[in-house]
Amino acid sequence: MSSSNPRTPILIVEDEASIRAMLRFALERAGYACVEAATAAEARLRLAESTPALALVDWMLPDRSGLDLVREWKEDECHAALPVILVTARGEEADKLRGFECGADDYVTKPFSPRELLARIRAVLRRGQAQAPPPVLELDGLRLDTAAHRVSAGGQRLEMGPTEFRLLHFFLTHQDRVYSRAQLLDHVWGRNVYVEERTVDVHIRRLRKALAPSGHDRLVQTVRGAGYRFSSDG
Ligand code: CA
């Protein structure tokens, strides 16, 4: 039996091209697929367009620290369940503890052997499978497939942008409650991102438009003076 799903995608966040290439080589040889990012900003983009099963995050990134990035993901509804292994050149005990405080599931210290890394990846993925959220979220025939990163209704695919996808994912996992624009910004955009509240309205409008072909736009309800609610009750 193969020890890893041949197509399990892993996100590599590492600014040094030679280390990234080494990681890709080792991971692909072990049967994983790789998505690469050289900066924290790029990692954010990759996460918006793909659904990795695990992320390897270098501690020292050019635009911000890997720790901050992981902390942001763990506070974000859409990415909190993404298992993370921090890759660090530092070996001090205090730093390891900080790694766990930020929510990383494990860490490896450079230099490490591919064999050690693969063993840690398998262990973290095994732990994650035991507590993974349902891969398909559904309401009234509207289906969001988290693994395929796809939304459909009645067998028809509904096209939407990455922000609308994240918004819908949040709504499907938080139904029947009213959320203010500020709360939606915190949960869907992340606490460290500066976006104006009216941006929420723009993406709500786009989400409704994307859901309109199957009539599911009715699930996105405006609650006057309060915000938005996602519910199948009128
Ligand atoms: Ca680095």
Side-chain angles (χ1 to χ4, degrees), residues 14-16 58-62 110:
E14 164 66 67
D15 56 313
E16 280 173 67
D58 184 35
W59 190 297
M60 303 291 275
L61 294 167
K110 293 175 186 170

Side-chain angles (χ1 to χ4, degrees), residues 12 19-29 34-36:
I12 303 169
I19 297 179
R20 223 164 49 233
M22 183 273 280
L23 290 171
R24 173 185 274 273
F25 179 77
L27 291 174
E28 287 185 344
R29 213 168 61 153
C34 294
V35 179
E36 295 180 26

Side-chain angles (χ1 to χ4, degrees), residues 37-212:
T39 62
E42 215 182 301
R44 199 176 171 80
L45 293 176
R46 297 289 92 79
L47 268 193
E49 65 196 18
S50 59
T51 312
L54 180 145
L56 287 177
V57 178
D58 184 35
W59 190 297
M60 303 291 275
L61 294 167
D63 48 347
R64 59 194 292 202
S65 93
L67 271 185
D68 282 351
L69 184 64
V70 173
R71 198 174 291 126
E72 180 189 308
W73 287 346
K74 293 299 174 183
E75 288 174 357
D76 180 326
E77 295 285 340
C78 292
H79 305 313
L82 174 67
V84 177
I85 297 179
L86 263 178
V87 180
T88 171
R90 307 173 182 178
E92 292 87 356
E93 213 54 41
D95 282 346
K96 289 174 185 171
L97 286 173
R98 274 171 58 207
F100 285 108
E101 274 167 24
C102 81
D105 299 84
D106 204 353
Y107 63 90
V108 287
T109 306
K110 293 175 186 170
F112 50 82
S113 70
R115 178 193 275 196
E116 179 194 354
L117 178 65
L118 289 168
R120 287 181 184 276
I121 287 175
R122 288 189 197 106
V124 169
L125 285 175
R126 260 199 311 274
R127 283 209 303 269
Q129 273 156 10
Q131 42 185 264
V136 176
L137 303 166
E138 193 162 7
L139 180 65
D140 276 4
L142 177 68
R143 288 168 56 90
L144 183 150
D145 186 327
T146 54
H149 216 72
R150 170 183 295 221
V151 180
S152 62
Q156 291 290 339
R157 183 163 183 183
L158 299 175
E159 299 293 343
M160 65 184 68
T163 304
E164 287 70 51
F165 183 89
R166 285 156 51 82
L167 196 50
L168 181 59
H169 185 279
F170 176 77
F171 278 145
L172 279 164
T173 50
H174 299 79
Q175 297 174 24
D176 301 316
R177 277 179 55 190
V178 181
Y179 288 91
S180 69
R181 288 166 181 81
Q183 285 173 321
L184 288 173
L185 281 177
D186 274 356
H187 288 294
V188 179
W189 277 258
R191 217 155 280 165
N192 303 316
V193 180
Y194 179 74
V195 190
E196 287 184 70
E197 290 197 2
R198 64 167 176 243
T199 303
V200 174
D201 300 325
V202 171
H203 289 280
I204 288 279
R205 212 176 304 136
R206 288 187 192 156
L207 177 60
R208 281 186 173 134
K209 200 173 162 197
L211 298 177

